[in-house]
Amino acid sequence: MRIGAHVDSDDPLTGARERGADAVQFFLADPQGWKAPTEHPHAAELREAAASGEFELYVHAPYVLNLASTNNRIRIPSRKLVAQHAEAAAAIGAKGLIVHGGHVTAADDIQVGFDNWRKAFEGAAKTGGYPLPILIENTAGGDHACARRFDNLARLWDAIGDFGPGLCLDTCHAFCGGEELGAAVDRLRGITGRVDLVHANGSRDGFDSGRDRHANLADSPDLAAEQVVEVIRAAGCTAVVETPNADGGQATDIAYLRERLAS
Ligand SMILES: [Zn+2]
């Protein structure tokens, strides 16, 4: 099983090597902005690392986009941004583009959010579909999120499952979102048939807190590191830490996961 890290976009492979990672995730544009990605300065090196199998690459889409939104001025640019990031991620050989599940507002029927997701996939299908897997990530907070509670995730998959989307399970988000980690992988497999990527994060906050503050695995008071190990073991897929990196925290998390998964 590969263990990776979310690193700075400037030079992802150097960042990955420094952390002892063999998978790497990064942004291709400002995560808080709406700008289309431009050619990565290390594009050739990234493509080669992906093609040779030295690294698995994952691209995280900007946080601002929301494919579920009932607001045209958010939903329409979100579709465009996902398409642009999917093209750019595929161009460097990434295995998937991670997109958060999104949300509607309290005034909306959440089914409209699921229908909006379907329209995004339908729109992409008209031009041959997305050029790489879209990995939908569960989120931690909010009462109107499409992928916080797994019962909503099931409704989302009812809407889009026939397009073959992928799933990214974030341990911090599931725990703080109020889903028990012990049963999470089995339940999600029952819903989606797959878990493609684990975001292996500790949490500063408690169960069902609705908060989203990632922590290093040794610094996660309520979400036990061993639970994260069990999730990765059950999922049997690549895991990426999105934890703080002060004092080499990510390298420590990766080393811990490797050691526990090997035993
Ligand atoms: Zn995540």
Side-chain angles (χ1 to χ4, degrees):
M1 266 177 272
R2 288 176 185 256
I3 310 289
H6 182 99
V7 304
D8 279 352
S9 309
D10 324 8
D11 188 358
L13 296 184
T14 299
R17 289 187 183 108
E18 282 169 1
R19 292 161 173 80
D22 52 9
V24 63
Q25 174 183 293
F26 47 96
F27 296 112
L28 285 176
D30 175 7
Q32 303 295 351
W34 291 93
K35 285 222 175 81
T38 51
E39 166 95 324
H40 195 284
H42 296 279
E45 191 196 342
L46 288 164
R47 266 192 296 273
E48 197 180 308
S52 72
E54 185 187 2
F55 289 100
E56 280 183 2
L57 312 183
Y58 295 91
V59 171
H60 201 300
Y63 296 125
V64 289
L65 67 83
N66 180 5
L67 290 175
S69 178
T70 56
N71 181 341
N72 291 340
R73 290 190 305 244
I74 295 172
R75 187 179 68 259
I76 303 300
S78 294
R79 284 182 194 162
K80 190 174 166 194
L81 203 59
V82 167
Q84 290 166 334
H85 278 259
E87 284 295 333
I92 54 169
K95 285 202 76 177
L97 175 70
I98 292 103
V99 180
H100 282 186
H103 56 90
V104 296
T105 73
D108 299 317
D109 176 355
I110 195 163
Q111 184 58 45
V112 180
F114 304 135
D115 294 342
N116 284 339
W117 262 101
R118 179 168 182 87
K119 287 174 189 164
F121 276 97
E122 283 174 344
K126 285 183 191 143
T127 53
Y130 293 112
L132 85 173
I134 302 296
L135 308 184
I136 301 173
E137 179 174 358
N138 65 311
T139 53
D143 291 329
H144 312 282
C146 294
R148 172 182 176 173
R149 309 279 190 195
F150 294 174
D151 53 356
N152 276 350
L153 194 87
R155 293 176 65 188
L156 175 60
W157 243 257
D158 285 344
I160 61 170
D162 44 345
F163 291 99
L167 181 74
C168 172
L169 168 60
D170 187 305
T171 53
C172 172
H173 297 177
F175 182 78
C176 293
E179 297 289 355
E180 297 285 351
L181 286 181
V185 171
D186 275 355
R187 284 185 62 205
L188 288 171
R189 281 229 181 85
I191 293 166
T192 66
R194 59 200 284 178
V195 178
D196 297 87
L197 181 68
V198 171
H199 279 171
N201 301 316
S203 174
R204 290 165 66 182
D205 301 291
F207 184 76
D208 205 16
S209 59
R211 304 291 300 272
D212 182 7
R213 300 188 301 167
H214 299 184
N216 293 110
L217 298 175
D219 192 23
S220 173
D222 297 335
L223 198 187
E226 190 56 32
Q227 284 193 283
V228 177
V229 173
E230 286 308 320
V231 165
I232 300 170
R233 199 172 268 143
C237 62
T238 298
V240 166
V241 303
E242 299 173 307
T243 52
N245 198 39
D247 304 319
Q250 289 188 338
T252 305
D253 287 335
I254 289 171
Y256 168 80
L257 291 174
R258 283 199 201 290
E259 189 194 318
R260 294 294 302 121
L261 288 164
S263 65

